[in-house]
Amino acid sequence: MDLTLSVVGCGYLGATHAACMSSLGYTVVGVDTDPEKVAQLQSGSLPFYEPGLETLLAQEVKSGRLSFTTDFAAVAKTDVHFVCVGTPQSKDGLAADLTYVKSAVAAIAPYLKKGSLVVGKSTVPVGTAQSLRGELVKIAPQSDLAWNPEFLREGFAIKDTLTPNRLVVGVANDLAEETLKKVYKPILDLGTPWIRADLPTSELVKVAANSFLATKISFINAMAEVCEAAGGDVTVLAQAIGYDPRIGNKFLQAGIGFGGGCLPKDIRAFMARAEELGAKQALEFLREIDAINLRARLRVIDVVRDELSKELTGYKIAVLGATFKPDSDDVRDSPALDIAAQLNAAGSHVVVHDPKGIEPARKRFPNLEYAESINDAVKGSDLVLHLTEWKEYRQIDPNEIAALVKNKVIIDGRNMLDRDLWRKAGWKFRALGRTD
Ligand code: UDX
């Protein structure tokens, strides 16, 4: 591999990209401003949980191809620079905060050697790449900037990076495309579709994809509301419409809705950007998608009140799941944790269990009680809430835990538990979007 790579920003996306590119045989240097994170990664250990990634990281660091540093000057030795920093929601509105992207590009610009290519991977509002490219060529005229959005899902980060369902590159000229084709040759050789776009389209592809996914989830959650009102069953409805290949059966799992570091902030930033561009009306529907999503959290609390009482003071509620999805320790904008916190604020004694997310959850909500085992969480509870669909929870024997709880009532916030099994064991079983 004659090209060498740098990855600027070593969070979830950057650490994954760096380790995966190294595993393809590249020499990769990861640069991050956080010395603790850099030291941890350099020792081969991961500051977050992602299946298989720690093993890959350790193996690549050991191979000598992958290293990490806080020194931006390290990029001077490399040819292609992937920018993987975060673009969180701004503190004062819906828009994305671009501070980190701008400062990352500014920090590497003075060190770029002739012919360098800066490749943005962060999710940014459309127009950002063009403006960053303009700034970059002022400082480093013999370099170029491209955009290469990332579609990786937490829990599948390695697979989605090394065998993605497509590669999308936003480029301003043929040379940038050729460089990226060279970098991704091992992945392209697998037959991966390659899409060349202009810079703005490549930025839009990412937010359009996430908006579509969010819309699918909120659509089925809206159907769940109607099923509840009409006496229907959303799980049967989803199965039935999903057989139509134009609709598809993925992302039609009704429940407490989407969370995480991407979908909620991306649809909000997209709306904010459309408004700036004078296309506000085109994305008005996303406001409704967001509202349906947040309402799902309240609807599950309504079911809790229906089962216990309007006043929630004094009840013990066991919450199974804190992360925004299984196989992750990410609690950013987690519907499960939000619901747990709201029930706690309403006066209940909430005990939260999660296979991987207890420590991050504790940092965010130190006043909730956390249990290391499912049995400890449910002991003496008036009600059990299933809020993140970890495999562990589907393996619970309802007969076994029946002896531990005060009341055998469970609410499935993810429509993933076997209702008949729980009912056979004597439980009152309720779920979102199912009236029976
Ligand atoms: C998402 C996109 O899928 C990915 O392509 C992009 O790069 C980053 O954002 P991720 O945040 O890892 O990935 O989560 P995803 O698997 O999309 O799930 C998002 C949320 O939707 C989770 O909270 C999940 O529980 C929820 N969800 C998903 C549903 O409620 N129902 C579904 O049918 C599917």
Side-chain angles (χ1 to χ4, degrees):
M1 300 282 180
D2 55 347
L3 288 174
T4 53
L5 315 179
S6 78
V7 173
V8 183
C10 299
Y12 201 89
L13 170 59
T16 305
H17 195 64
C20 288
M21 290 299 112
S22 168
S23 76
L24 294 178
Y26 289 110
T27 300
V28 184
V29 59
V31 190
D32 198 285
T33 50
D34 179 346
E36 261 176 52
K37 194 188 283 177
V38 164
Q40 192 175 347
L41 290 167
Q42 187 60 44
S43 74
S45 116
L46 211 55
F48 53 86
Y49 175 70
E50 171 65 32
L53 189 58
E54 191 159 67
T55 312
L56 186 73
L57 174 84
Q59 168 198 308
E60 294 308 311
V61 171
K62 204 168 160 215
S63 77
R65 283 188 298 271
L66 178 61
S67 60
F68 294 90
T69 178
T70 53
D71 183 5
F72 282 90
V75 307
K77 294 193 201 106
T78 61
D79 307 292
V80 180
H81 316 274
F82 289 98
V83 176
C84 297
V85 294
T87 49
Q89 187 174 338
S90 316
K91 291 195 173 59
D92 55 355
L94 296 185
D97 177 355
L98 294 178
T99 317
Y100 305 111
V101 177
K102 287 181 185 164
S103 59
V105 174
I108 59 173
Y111 300 108
L112 297 182
K113 65 178 178 187
K114 192 178 162 197
S116 281
L117 182 65
V118 176
V119 184
K121 288 192 82 67
S122 312
T123 304
V124 288
V126 59
T128 306
Q130 208 122 43
S131 112
L132 283 174
R133 187 168 182 267
E135 290 303 310
L136 180 75
V137 293
K138 273 191 225 154
I139 312 171
Q142 286 166 323
S143 62
D144 194 5
L145 183 137
W147 218 259
N148 169 219
E150 182 55 62
F151 305 99
L152 70 81
R153 297 160 297 169
E154 296 194 12
F156 300 91
I158 299 176
K159 179 175 171 282
D160 286 352
T161 305
L162 292 176
T163 55
N165 44 30
R166 79 289 210 189
L167 282 164
V168 179
V169 296
V171 291
N173 52 58
D174 292 344
L175 183 61
E177 184 186 14
E178 272 162 38
T179 307
L180 280 165
K181 271 196 168 156
K182 214 165 149 189
V183 172
Y184 286 127
K185 185 171 184 305
I187 299 175
L188 279 174
D189 286 349
L190 304 172
T192 309
W194 176 263
I195 293 165
R196 173 183 171 157
D198 52 33
L199 290 171
T201 306
S202 68
E203 293 163 311
L204 283 171
V205 168
K206 174 62 192 267
V207 280
N210 275 357
S211 297
F212 194 85
L213 294 172
T215 301
K216 259 192 127 173
I217 300 168
S218 278
F219 173 82
I220 203 64
N221 284 333
M223 292 306 110
E225 290 186 39
V226 178
C227 281
E228 280 165 19
D233 185 329
V234 74
T235 62
V236 178
L237 183 145
Q239 192 192 6
I241 63 171
Y243 277 115
D244 183 334
R246 293 170 302 172
I247 296 174
N249 60 6
K250 304 257 162 57
F251 268 64
L252 283 184
Q253 192 70 32
I256 57 170
F258 59 81
C262 292
L263 297 193
K265 81 156 171 74
D266 287 355
I267 61 168
R268 292 171 195 153
F270 198 16
M271 280 187 270
R273 185 64 185 135
E275 189 168 350
E276 285 170 7
L277 292 168
K280 181 174 181 222
Q281 240 185 338
L283 297 189
E284 270 303 319
F285 75 97
L286 287 178
R287 211 171 296 282
E288 201 51 48
I289 297 305
D290 202 6
I292 294 167
N293 191 52
L294 295 176
R295 205 154 64 222
R297 303 177 186 188
L298 302 179
R299 283 171 39 234
V300 87
I301 295 174
D302 284 345
V303 184
V304 173
R305 286 191 202 278
D306 194 39
E307 283 305 321
L308 297 174
S309 76
K310 235 177 156 53
E311 270 300 315
L312 290 176
T313 333
Y315 291 104
K316 184 180 173 195
I317 300 175
V319 168
L320 301 181
T323 52
F324 85 102
K325 67 190 274 188
D327 293 321
S328 162
D329 63 357
D330 196 342
V331 297
R332 283 177 295 170
D333 203 348
S334 164
L337 203 51
D338 184 16
I339 291 162
Q342 289 195 49
L343 291 170
N344 187 60
S348 288
H349 172 198
V350 179
V351 184
V352 182
H353 174 268
D354 192 277
K356 294 282 177 203
I358 289 186
E359 285 322 310
R362 202 195 300 276
K363 269 192 206 137
R364 199 153 286 215
F365 291 107
N367 54 344
L368 291 175
E369 192 179 323
Y370 296 91
E372 293 295 332
S373 74
I374 296 172
N375 285 358
D376 285 347
V378 301
K379 214 170 275 167
S381 60
D382 295 286
L383 186 140
V384 178
L385 271 175
H386 172 244
L387 299 185
T388 312
E389 65 277 32
W390 286 93
K391 197 166 116 217
E392 283 87 334
Y393 301 146
R394 290 196 289 285
Q395 291 167 342
I396 293 174
D397 180 348
N399 288 297
E400 242 171 60
I401 68 162
L404 300 172
V405 299
K406 195 161 143 207
N407 281 317
K408 286 186 279 181
V409 182
I410 182 152
I411 301 171
D412 185 2
R414 291 291 183 181
N415 277 309
M416 286 293 269
L417 299 177
D418 183 340
R419 183 173 66 178
D420 293 345
L421 190 77
W422 285 79
R423 286 196 174 152
K424 251 185 230 145
W427 286 74
K428 177 155 193 200
F429 186 99
R430 293 193 61 181
L432 290 182
R434 302 177 89 180
T435 28
D436 176 19

